Amino acid sequence: MITALRGMKDLFGNDAKLYEYIIKVSSKIAKNYGYEFCEMPKLEATNLFKRSVGESSDIVGKEMYEFLDKSGNEVCLRPEGTAGVVRGFIEAKFDRVAKVRKFFYYGSMFRYERPQKGRLREFRQFGVECFGESSVYEDAALISLGVEILKELNIKHTLKINSLGSGLAMQNFKQNLVEFVKFKQENMCQDCQRRLVLNPMRILDCKNEACKEILKNAPKMIDNLSQEDRAEFELLCQILRENGIKFEIDHKLVRGLDYYCKSAFEFVSDEIGSQSAIIGGGRYDKLVEFLGGRPTFAVGFAIGVDRLMEILKNKEIKDEKKIYLCTLDERFLPEIFKISTRLRKFHNVEMSYDIKSFSKHLNFAIKGKFNTLLCIGEDEAKNGEILYKNLDENRQNLIKIENLEKEI
Ligand code: HAM
């Protein structure tokens, strides 16, 4: 038997409903915040991710599904959504018009990680990206958007925020970090030694115990921010407080991708193992320019939809109301077929092609959790009627077929 690949998941039944439900809730709220849907390719040039997500990241270093296509091009299944949206944004020349644009997207991302609870190789994200807005109010609006989605889904969480600074201050801070670990470097893990060369800030969130110990009293970015960045970060904290959004400042939060500056944030949950991130995001004001576009402010986040599904897995998603349409006699199949087409304009209708007794139809409809049963037998057909049974309230009556839409 051929099975799904390790770390890849089929979505059927309640899983599929849950996925659909999370996307529906998130899309609705994102639209209320002014975000519009976009869809990007899942396969991109490998270089796109090397340049944006960055060589210091585990994603580029170890986890990409990269290969040569039949023409010898280096291509890669997208490990995340931001880089593709930025590429598309530049290609559509949106960077040349001074206009704020906000997009949301959802779908599969691919990372060759060690599969475990809440960690897959093909996983789904719901992402939002805002371009052209420098105001820290948009950072706050994005965070509020994340909070509203989690609230609507009834998911408990902790919000962690930090500022990564920008420009010279960020450069100096990286230098300070390198200085700080200068004589302890060889006791750090292989990943950190690589990070020290490529993006020293990434050593701050290393999970290795030896590295953590070395970095206990490491300098904090927050103490090294420029005046302007500090004021923005304070304003962000103030907006969140004024709007009742609880948060913790986490000096070690640096995010696993290289493109961030200024605000960085994560929503974590302890319902899928220890403190798993369920949303991650932040500002990336340099990325559009770095990928060849005109300088454009940008901020966004992505939700790990599979992680939310794991948290909500025991929650049953209510189906829309369903109608079971049947007949007791083969002669009336053409009639109920016509009725099914009429009703499907408004309702979820399952038409039974089976000819069986009323009690068998009824049992089937009850087991299938239908809300309504409609049935035509000899007597009903004679009078141009149909039997209507409300299964939720256990009552029934006859309805004229021509009045069906009005009466059910
Ligand atoms: P990220 O933190 O790499 O950020 O991923 C966002 C979320 O995707 C994580 O918080 C987590 O919930 C989920 N996730 C990541 N890896 C896996 C996995 N292997 N299995 C299941 N879920 C996973 C980004 O991807 C950025 N593009 C977010 C962003 C958008 N920043 C700005 N705009």
Side-chain angles (χ1 to χ4, degrees):
M1 189 180 69
I2 300 172
T3 56
L5 298 177
R6 223 162 99 73
M8 313 245 163
K9 199 167 143 187
D10 302 321
L11 301 186
F12 286 126
N14 207 49
D15 272 351
K17 279 188 208 154
L18 214 44
Y19 177 60
E20 217 188 351
Y21 173 63
I22 294 170
I23 298 303
K24 195 168 126 192
V25 166
S26 308
S27 308
K28 166 88 180 62
I29 301 177
K31 282 182 192 164
N32 288 351
Y33 278 72
Y35 286 75
E36 62 182 66
F37 178 63
C38 73
E39 172 83 6
M40 296 290 129
K42 291 176 186 66
L43 197 64
E44 296 271 6
T46 305
N47 248 340
L48 174 66
F49 301 108
K50 286 195 173 158
R51 293 189 53 193
S52 55
V53 176
E55 307 262 3
S56 87
S57 68
D58 287 346
I59 299 176
V60 170
K62 315 182 206 167
E63 297 168 359
M64 294 220 288
Y65 275 90
E66 46 185 317
F67 55 95
L68 294 179
D69 71 8
K70 289 191 197 299
S71 316
N73 302 307
E74 290 182 6
V75 294
C76 174
L77 284 170
R78 63 181 184 188
E80 60 102 52
T82 309
V85 179
V86 171
R87 183 210 38 74
F89 177 86
I90 299 168
E91 222 172 307
K93 300 191 171 56
F94 291 152
D95 56 328
R96 303 197 183 177
V97 185
K99 183 178 172 207
V100 174
R101 288 180 203 264
K102 304 179 183 186
F103 301 104
F104 75 87
Y105 54 89
Y106 52 86
S108 294
M109 308 292 157
F110 303 83
R111 297 183 192 174
Y112 197 80
E113 297 198 71
R114 200 162 54 80
Q116 51 179 271
K117 202 172 175 189
R119 187 185 294 155
L120 294 161
R121 287 182 173 166
E122 180 184 13
F123 60 99
R124 285 142 278 261
Q125 284 187 343
F126 179 94
V128 288
E129 316 289 353
C130 169
F131 296 99
E133 182 56 80
S134 63
S135 170
V136 76
Y137 273 92
E138 189 59 30
D139 305 37
L142 262 180
I143 290 175
S144 157
L145 164 55
V147 170
E148 289 306 315
I149 291 173
L150 295 178
K151 258 198 216 158
E152 184 65 28
L153 296 171
N154 214 353
I155 292 181
K156 285 196 221 93
H157 58 269
T158 304
L159 166 64
K160 300 189 170 191
I161 64 170
N162 192 17
S163 175
L164 306 179
S166 61
L168 203 57
M170 193 195 228
Q171 288 313 320
N172 289 342
F173 179 65
K174 288 181 180 172
Q175 214 42 53
N176 289 349
L177 269 182
V178 176
E179 283 292 314
F180 179 80
V181 295
K182 203 169 176 181
F183 301 110
K184 306 159 200 156
Q185 210 165 309
E186 60 272 25
N187 299 326
M188 299 187 84
C189 73
Q190 290 291 313
D191 281 339
C192 279
Q193 302 204 16
R194 188 165 53 95
R195 289 168 185 150
L196 272 170
V197 182
L198 296 165
N199 180 3
M201 285 217 322
R202 291 288 327 282
I203 64 173
L204 286 174
D205 73 345
C206 183
K207 305 286 177 284
N208 179 297
E209 286 306 323
C211 300
K212 274 201 218 164
E213 186 57 35
I214 292 171
L215 291 161
K216 232 180 188 168
N217 298 314
K220 295 183 179 118
M221 183 64 222
I222 210 103
D223 300 325
N224 292 268
L225 291 176
S226 68
Q227 248 179 6
E228 199 183 315
D229 289 349
R230 171 177 290 278
E232 270 188 15
F233 187 61
E234 280 168 6
L235 179 56
L236 175 64
C237 296
Q238 186 189 325
I239 303 169
L240 296 180
R241 265 187 232 108
E242 283 172 0
N243 287 277
I245 298 176
K246 291 203 184 84
F247 61 91
E248 291 171 9
I249 296 177
D250 179 349
H251 300 297
K252 300 231 153 105
L253 177 73
V254 289
R255 308 274 304 121
L257 306 94
D258 285 357
Y259 47 64
Y260 293 106
C261 61
K262 299 188 179 177
S263 321
F265 56 88
E266 272 179 6
F267 291 76
V268 298
S269 156
D270 48 20
E271 291 185 57
I272 20 166
S274 60
Q275 294 261 307
S276 290
I278 47 178
I279 299 182
R283 218 166 235 287
Y284 51 97
D285 290 341
K286 294 283 169 223
L287 187 57
V288 176
E289 188 180 2
F290 194 67
L291 290 178
R294 297 205 177 148
T296 307
F297 299 107
V299 56
F301 72 63
I303 301 176
V305 177
D306 300 84
R307 294 194 179 166
L308 301 194
M309 286 164 63
E310 185 64 35
I311 295 171
L312 296 176
K313 72 176 173 209
N314 296 323
K315 179 177 168 147
E316 195 161 328
I317 300 303
K318 276 216 172 73
D319 278 318
E320 283 173 37
K321 288 207 180 269
K322 290 192 299 180
I323 296 174
Y324 180 73
L325 175 64
C326 59
T327 177
L328 309 179
D329 192 316
E330 195 162 0
R331 282 177 296 144
F332 308 130
L333 277 176
E335 181 65 31
I336 64 165
F337 186 81
K338 276 191 207 142
I339 294 176
S340 73
T341 312
R342 262 169 63 190
L343 292 184
R344 279 173 176 155
K345 292 194 172 69
F346 311 100
H347 302 281
N348 175 341
V349 180
E350 184 168 322
M351 172 179 162
S352 169
Y353 307 133
D354 289 341
I355 306 303
K356 52 191 177 192
S357 69
F358 183 74
S359 63
K360 281 192 177 152
H361 276 310
L362 183 61
N363 276 343
F364 184 90
I366 292 170
K367 271 198 200 138
K369 297 194 176 143
F370 286 86
N371 309 87
T372 305
L373 177 143
L374 294 172
C375 182
I376 297 186
E378 184 83 44
D379 293 343
E380 289 83 11
K382 249 192 273 164
N383 302 324
E385 290 175 332
I386 190 162
L387 177 95
Y388 163 85
K389 190 168 178 71
N390 182 325
L391 298 170
D392 298 331
E393 296 167 13
N394 199 20
R395 58 179 171 82
Q396 66 181 59
N397 56 286
L398 292 169
I399 294 180
K400 284 271 174 230
I401 290 174
E402 67 211 46
N403 296 337
L404 249 184
E405 283 91 341
K406 270 189 263 157
E407 297 203 23
I408 62 168

